[in-house]
Amino acid sequence: MSGQESKAAATLLHLHETDNVAVLAKDVRSGDLVSFGELEFHAPADLGMGHKLAITPIAAGTDVLKYGASIGYAAIDIDVGQHVHLHNLTSRYTVIEDMEAPRT
Amino acid sequence: MTIKMTGWPRSDGRKGIRNVVLVAYTVECAHHVCTQIARGFAEQDVHVIGFSGCFPSPYGQDMMEALCTHPNVGAVQLVSLGCENFRKSELQHAIKASGRPANLITIQQAGGTRSAIRVGREWVAEQCDELRQQSRVPMEASELVIGTICGGSDATSGLTGNPAAGRAFDRLVSEGGTCIFEETGELIGCDHVMAARAATPELRDDLIRTVEKAAQFYAAMGYGSFSQGNATGGLSTIEEKSLGAYAKSGASKISGILRPAQQAETGGLYLLDVVPDGAPKFGFPNINDTAEIIELISCGAHAVIFVTGRGSVVGSAISPVLKVCANPETYDKMSEDMDVNAGRILSGEATLDDVGAEIYAKLTSLAEGEVTVSEDLGHTEFVLTYKSPVRSEPGCHIAA
């Protein structure tokens, strides 16, 4: 059995039944298997605990729901398993500037 | 459940889950005498509180009265230097009117430090004997008042501890209990989500105004609300960050807004508005976690749920503080200071519902003879500073 296969799939924490994102319960490396109920996909990047992955497709302009409430809207279409963060989620309040992103 | 909750009945109908003797200074100059009086009673619930300032403070006066007549308090030894600007006799009368014994020592009249300590210890010893004779009566969950705060937060707080505390709140509110959450400065961006849970349209507008006021106050203090560290921890928007703290409030309807030293008249979920009205004055509304805990207690909280990620150790004077550790690594390092390990949710060993049920059970056990770890360790932190008057104004209402 290879190391990859013996490792248990990383789990996602679904904070509210209506949420379209779930939260990583531990750090993952890009390509690690992530499971959520019947869903299984591979981590799209190295991500730390607390980062969000989409568990349903989220169309551009649709609310991203966490804790059963809107945390902003999808800036672009988001597929199942994709990382949901500054690059594809926009606040309805203050726009957050990504201090690590190149200046435009 | 075989053990039933019991409490000490008070003349105003409330019941206490502790029967504390307070030794309270009315100016910092009397603090040492209070500490020395209480030192003789390490094995009993004798706690030191007080107001340090010598300038008049309507807020300090209101807070001291609310704390000295708190349901967990059985008797109060007041200690004054003698020349401070504090309405000590008015406070003593208010405590006596509440049915509690209240003794006032004025150090300048008692003959100095040693004399004041001797007189104070004699009186406190008598009160401890008296309080031991008092019997407890059955108490229902509907009679409990519970506050919640988070401090030393990290990325785990909003994932495990806070939502689990919210589940415990939901159960208590459904049973008619009173639950209080606060930190309006950390609700920026979820004010409209919160307002949608208001019991009345007037309250909806007031909830939004309360958060706007906090945003302006903290901005004037030069306090930012979203950092690059938040984004690294996976938080994408200010709404998301605020919702993590707001999750402590659970999902119940919000019944009203309380001010410090104000008690709810009926059960339900309340927001404590900790930010004074008007131009910012006297600095930050609450300078640390303990100042927040003391304001929750001033609203009658029998106990306070404290959710921590990085690891806090504090307890409080007057009311037990139940510490919920959100981070499993912190729990491994500091388990001796924690009552509940909510980090088990991240490792899949427990669900949010499991930990919510555990928090609820621990809270009710505090009225069944159990103590929190911070009580067992002897933590009785206390902080009370100056703040603009917070008496409820006309228009600051509690929804029916």
Side-chain angles (χ1 to χ4, degrees):
Chain A
M1 191 184 279
S2 77
Q4 187 68 34
E5 284 166 344
S6 64
K7 204 161 67 176
T11 50
L12 288 167
L13 204 54
H14 199 213
L15 291 163
H16 191 274
E17 58 189 3
T18 61
D19 290 357
N20 49 18
V21 294
V23 179
L24 284 167
K26 64 175 189 181
D27 297 353
V28 294
R29 307 288 295 176
S30 182
D32 280 357
L33 193 62
V34 179
S35 71
F36 178 72
E38 303 288 296
L39 286 175
E40 271 196 353
F41 40 81
H42 296 279
D46 292 355
L47 295 171
M49 182 207 72
H51 281 254
K52 300 173 291 296
L53 298 177
I55 53 167
T56 64
I58 308 171
T62 313
D63 279 333
V64 174
L65 298 173
K66 182 182 173 188
Y67 301 107
S70 172
I71 59 168
Y73 62 91
I76 52 173
D77 288 344
I78 303 173
D79 283 337
V80 172
Q82 283 191 336
H83 184 209
V84 179
H85 201 25
L86 308 174
H87 60 287
N88 56 11
L89 165 58
T90 305
S91 171
R92 292 191 194 279
Y93 279 78
T94 322
V95 175
I96 307 298
E97 185 184 352
D98 182 359
M99 299 294 171
E100 304 300 322
R103 286 177 185 272
T104 49
Chain B
M1 281 191 289
T2 50
I3 308 170
K4 289 281 189 188
M5 288 197 286
T6 58
W8 282 274
R10 309 300 182 195
S11 65
D12 60 6
R14 294 188 287 173
K15 291 168 190 164
I17 66 168
R18 296 289 179 270
N19 212 7
V20 174
V21 178
L22 286 182
V23 186
Y25 51 92
T26 53
V27 66
E28 181 60 22
C29 318
H31 192 160
H32 173 71
V33 167
C34 290
T35 304
Q36 291 301 317
I37 291 172
R39 184 162 288 176
F41 304 92
E43 298 305 310
Q44 288 145 83
D45 275 343
V46 177
H47 299 169
V48 175
I49 71 164
F51 187 72
S52 289
C54 191
F55 295 98
S57 170
Y59 166 77
Q61 191 86 29
D62 285 351
M63 286 290 291
M64 287 295 284
E65 180 176 329
L67 295 168
C68 288
T69 58
H70 186 281
N72 286 353
V73 173
V76 184
Q77 171 67 71
L78 294 172
V79 184
S80 159
L81 176 63
C83 47
E84 69 269 26
N85 283 298
F86 190 94
R87 296 178 177 275
K88 59 191 179 190
S89 299
E90 191 178 299
L91 177 59
Q92 185 188 17
H93 291 145
I95 300 166
K96 283 185 169 173
S98 77
R100 292 169 175 82
N103 189 42
L104 173 61
I105 297 172
T106 301
I107 298 171
Q108 288 166 351
Q109 289 170 11
T113 300
R114 280 198 186 85
S115 307
I117 292 167
R118 190 184 65 246
V119 175
R121 280 188 181 163
E122 282 171 13
W123 192 83
V124 169
E126 285 169 20
Q127 299 316 308
C128 287
D129 290 342
E130 285 288 320
L131 295 187
R132 265 194 293 273
Q133 312 299 321
Q134 294 177 355
S135 51
R136 302 168 71 152
V137 297
M139 189 172 177
E140 304 293 327
S142 62
E143 297 175 282
L144 277 178
V145 181
I146 304 295
T148 182
I149 74 156
C150 50
S153 298
D154 67 13
T156 64
S157 303
L159 301 182
T160 62
N162 290 346
R167 279 157 171 78
F169 259 25
D170 286 342
R171 175 154 175 205
L172 267 169
V173 170
S174 75
E175 293 174 346
T178 302
C179 293
I180 311 170
F181 68 108
E182 47 104 54
E183 291 168 331
T184 46
E186 294 174 11
L187 296 175
I188 297 160
C190 65
D191 41 344
H192 289 85
V193 174
M194 175 168 69
R197 285 165 56 194
T200 66
E202 297 79 27
L203 179 60
R204 186 175 60 217
D205 296 343
D206 280 353
L207 286 168
I208 290 172
R209 267 198 296 273
T210 301
V211 176
E212 281 172 356
K213 179 179 69 170
Q216 287 165 8
F217 198 106
Y218 282 100
M221 295 290 117
Y223 179 78
S225 54
F226 196 95
S227 66
Q228 184 64 36
N230 293 144
T232 307
L235 298 177
S236 311
T237 63
I238 185 69
E239 297 95 299
E240 182 180 11
K241 179 185 178 182
S242 293
L243 281 164
Y246 170 71
K248 295 194 300 300
S249 69
S252 310
K253 182 183 76 175
I254 298 172
S255 298
I257 299 173
L258 296 175
R259 296 299 189 96
Q262 183 185 12
Q263 282 95 51
E265 285 166 17
T266 61
L269 176 66
Y270 294 84
L271 173 67
L272 173 59
D273 179 10
V274 302
V275 178
D277 294 338
K281 209 172 156 185
F282 301 126
F284 289 103
N286 283 323
I287 59 168
N288 53 30
D289 293 332
T290 294
E292 294 180 3
I293 290 169
I294 294 302
E295 283 197 337
L296 287 165
I297 293 171
S298 77
C299 296
H302 292 99
V304 174
I305 306 169
F306 188 136
V307 179
T308 184
R310 299 183 60 83
S312 170
V313 302
V314 302
S316 179
I318 301 174
S319 295
V321 173
L322 186 83
K323 288 217 288 304
V324 176
C325 187
N327 187 323
E329 291 172 16
T330 304
Y331 186 86
D332 286 344
K333 276 188 289 193
M334 295 181 64
S335 62
E336 69 176 40
D337 281 287
M338 303 300 163
D339 293 284
V340 176
N341 177 11
R344 291 181 296 140
I345 293 165
L346 290 176
S347 52
E349 296 163 61
T351 64
L352 283 167
D353 287 337
D354 294 337
V355 176
E358 184 183 342
I359 293 170
Y360 176 90
K362 292 252 180 182
L363 283 173
T364 53
S365 79
L366 297 177
E368 298 169 351
E370 297 295 322
V371 296
T372 63
V373 294
S374 52
E375 286 182 290
D376 194 42
L377 290 163
H379 283 281
T380 56
E381 283 82 353
F382 184 83
V383 166
L384 180 58
T385 61
Y386 281 91
K387 196 181 253 197
S388 300
V390 286
R391 284 179 196 274
S392 28
E393 315 275 334
C396 172
H397 63 272
I398 297 173

